[in-house]
């Protein structure tokens, strides 16, 4: 059974166990959404994620969109707040009932929130506003229970692949149109790149929680998991994670193909990658944007392939943003919130004039049009959107071919559902020690990390 399937199954059993005591842990009971919806009745909603005052241009754009929305929906009054998702404070806000009607949250939250009755069932209201058919069935699984009922709206998604420097591939005698698809190939390619170019054949994120994040990604690619379905216990102290760390250890100490820098966060690794110091690194396709725009990488040098697999295909880590609706909301408020989500998040995909204008605006701002990635949209909607914007594409799409093909075959596996960032932080030093201490004991490092993480998960 896939990890996603297991997560969905867990939601079902957990929901049965928690129904009778949904409020026992301070959670807010879902409002009764069975009452009739009056789409013309006056209703007030509070919308989160208003830009901060230090970004006046973004504030002006946001306020303009609010005005456009209320003009088109005169019965809906919109109040705004800067409230945004923060892993450290979010659950306290949920328990305290201080959340706005609608706001963005991480993909990591719904797996716990749905069985705890912290999100309302919005399935019927989604149909009323004609939004369901626009959504990607795969990303929608992140907010569904085992009955297929829907509790949120995915608005942004990513999945991890492998970014590679096409110029270094050519210098090393590798085919730049054939990135590695297995971890054995990654190791072989890294050896060839280092031997022929003197550069780091492969580098790994290791700090600011990214070490644990990418170790989780590698674990998934090897058929493993990091956390139990109920989020109460770690599961990484087993063969897949040990193999992932052994691969890194071998590349570092046996092959000597990982250069000399073993302390990288996301921005730092992208900077060195763009500078031609790194042959391959695990990244989502949006690494292209920063590498090219911020760090001056030649567009022709950027390539993106599928997340390498071991004994798979198993899948790849996915994450992103979901619009949640306050569980206290009435049916009328839910419908109003969904209308706002449709207007603010999806009109840019479903309205040709808006899609084309956004493409023109991106180019004017020296941005990018056409860069591949995971989409929250249904395939039909996404294809139409891309067709509208095709004349404005300024990204070498063919150089993402390996990644694009993988989106049709690799399962999307959610990040750990409980305290993901804390889990990642405690796994950072495990990866760091494997890369900086030749005698690092992988078994002991994982056992110690599991003990610390299990104590956090049990709280």
């Amino acid at each position: 059974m896939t990890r996603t399937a297991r997560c969905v199954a867990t939601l079902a059993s957990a929901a049965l166990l928690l129904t009778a005591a949904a409020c026992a842990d301070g959670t807010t009971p879902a409002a009764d959404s069975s009452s009739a919806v009056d789409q013309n009745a006056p209703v007030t909603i509070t919308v989160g994620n208003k830009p901060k005052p230090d970004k006046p241009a973004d504030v002006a754009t946001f306020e303009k969109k609010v005005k456009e929305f209320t003009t088109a929906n005169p019965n809906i009054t919109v109040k705004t707040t800067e409230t945004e998702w923060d892993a450290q404070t979010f659950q306290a806000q949920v328990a305290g009932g201080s959340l706005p009607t609608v706001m963005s949250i991480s993909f990591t939250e719904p797996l716990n929130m749905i069985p705890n009755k912290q999100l309302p069932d919005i399935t019927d209201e989604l149909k009323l506003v004609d939004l369901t058919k626009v959504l990607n069935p795969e990303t929608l699984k992140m907010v569904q229970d085992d009955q297929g009922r829907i509790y949120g709206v995915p608005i942004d998604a990513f999945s991890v692949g492998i970014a590679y420097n096409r110029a270094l591939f050519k210098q090393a005698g590798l085919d730049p149109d054939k990135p590695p698809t297995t971890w054995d190939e990654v190791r072989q390619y890294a050896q060839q790149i280092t031997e022929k170019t003197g550069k780091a054949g492969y580098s790994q994120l290791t700090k600011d929680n990214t070490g644990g994040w990418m170790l989780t990604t590698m674990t998934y690619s090897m058929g493993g998991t990091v956390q139990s379905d109920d989020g109460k216990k770690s599961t990484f102290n087993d063969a897949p994670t040990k193999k992932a760390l052994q691969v890194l250890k071998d590349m570092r100490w046996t092959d000597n193909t990982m250069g000399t820098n073993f302390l990288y966060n996301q921005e730092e690794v992208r900077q060195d990658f763009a500078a031609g110091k790194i042959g391959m690194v695990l990244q989502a396709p949006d690494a292209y944007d920063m590498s090219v725009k911020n760090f001056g990488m030649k567009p022709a040098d950027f390539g993106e392939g599928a997340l390498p697999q071991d004994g798979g295909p198993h899948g790849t880590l996915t994450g992103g943003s979901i619009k949640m609706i306050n569980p206290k909301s009435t049916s009328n408020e839910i419908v109003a919130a969904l209308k706002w989500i449709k207007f603010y998040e999806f009109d840019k995909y479903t309205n040709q004039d808006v899609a084309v204008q956004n493409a023109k605006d991106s180019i004017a701002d020296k941005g990018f049009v056409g860069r591949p990635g995971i989409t929250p949209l249904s395939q039909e909607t996404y294809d139409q959107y891309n067709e509208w914007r095709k004349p404005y594409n300024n990204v070498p799409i063919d150089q993402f071919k390996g990644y694009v093909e993988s989106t049709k075959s690799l399962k999307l596996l959610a990040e750990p559902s409980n305290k993901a960032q804390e889990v990642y932080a405690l796994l950072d030093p495990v990866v760091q020690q494997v890369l900086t201490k030749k005698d690092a004991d992988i078994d002991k490092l994982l056992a110690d990390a599991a003990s610390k993480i299990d104590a956090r998960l049990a709280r």
Side-chain angles (χ1 to χ4, degrees), residues 54 121 130 133 200 226 328:
D54 62 348
D121 182 338
D130 199 26
K133 67 181 182 182
V226 167
K328 290 183 177 180

Side-chain angles (χ1 to χ4, degrees), residues 263-279:
L263 294 176
Y264 275 122
N265 62 21
Q266 184 90 289
E267 184 171 337
E268 291 164 348
V269 86
R270 290 178 175 182
Q271 186 167 7
D272 277 3
F273 176 72
K277 298 178 180 179
I278 296 170

Side-chain angles (χ1 to χ4, degrees), residues 109-365:
E109 298 292 352
L111 289 176
N112 281 331
M113 295 181 73
I114 294 172
N116 285 334
K117 304 296 182 183
Q118 293 174 320
L119 292 173
D121 182 338
I122 60 173
T123 312
D124 298 333
E125 288 84 357
L126 274 169
K127 294 175 183 176
L128 279 178
V129 301
D130 199 26
L131 191 52
T132 310
K133 67 181 182 182
V134 173
L135 301 174
N136 181 342
E138 287 301 309
T139 57
L140 204 55
K141 290 177 182 177
M142 302 296 169
V143 290
Q144 287 179 299
D145 62 17
D146 68 321
Q147 303 299 316
R149 304 298 291 181
I150 302 168
Y151 296 83
V153 183
I155 58 166
D156 181 52
F158 72 86
S159 67
V160 179
I162 189 165
Y164 62 99
N165 187 306
R166 292 172 59 89
L168 290 181
F169 265 48
K170 292 176 183 177
Q171 292 173 36
L174 296 167
D175 187 339
D177 293 324
K178 294 182 178 179
T181 58
T182 68
W183 282 103
D184 285 343
E185 287 182 343
V186 170
R187 189 174 176 185
Q188 293 164 14
Y189 284 29
Q191 289 172 326
Q192 196 162 331
I193 290 169
T194 297
E195 178 184 345
K196 298 292 186 181
T197 72
K199 307 297 184 182
Y202 177 87
S203 287
Q204 186 82 355
L205 290 165
T206 57
K207 68 178 188 179
D208 299 341
N209 297 12
T210 64
W213 183 39
M214 286 299 110
L215 180 59
T216 297
T217 302
M218 288 185 71
T219 296
Y220 288 0
S221 76
M222 295 183 175
T225 60
V226 167
Q227 195 176 96
S228 61
D229 291 336
D230 61 9
K232 294 181 179 179
K233 189 171 179 59
S234 66
T235 58
F236 56 77
N237 190 15
D238 62 1
T241 306
K242 290 178 181 180
K243 186 167 187 179
L245 289 170
Q246 189 62 50
V247 167
L248 294 175
K249 189 174 185 180
D250 289 342
M251 285 197 290
R252 164 65 177 99
W253 297 104
T254 302
D255 305 339
N256 195 27
T257 57
M258 295 185 69
T260 57
N261 189 347
F262 310 106
L263 294 176
Y264 275 122
N265 62 21
Q266 184 90 289
E267 184 171 337
E268 291 164 348
V269 86
R270 290 178 175 182
Q271 186 167 7
D272 277 3
F273 176 72
K277 298 178 180 179
I278 296 170
M280 298 175 289
V281 61
L282 297 187
Q283 290 283 289
D286 65 347
Y288 176 89
D289 301 22
M290 183 180 288
S291 298
V292 174
K293 185 174 182 178
N294 297 67
F295 300 131
M297 188 176 193
K298 294 179 181 177
D301 291 348
F302 187 97
E304 180 82 10
L307 177 70
Q309 303 288 298
D310 183 81
H314 299 295
T316 182
L317 180 143
T318 187
S321 298
I322 290 164
K323 284 293 184 184
M324 70 156 282
I325 295 175
N326 194 309
K328 290 183 177 180
S329 302
T330 65
S331 293
N332 284 352
E333 289 168 345
I334 290 173
V335 168
L338 290 174
K339 286 182 176 180
W340 164 258
I341 294 170
K342 185 177 182 181
F343 167 82
Y344 191 74
E345 302 292 347
F346 290 98
D347 268 9
K348 58 191 175 188
Y349 299 123
T350 58
N351 183 304
Q352 182 174 0
D353 291 340
V354 175
V356 169
Q357 187 58 53
N358 283 351
K360 293 178 178 178
D361 291 344
S362 292
I363 291 173
D365 193 37

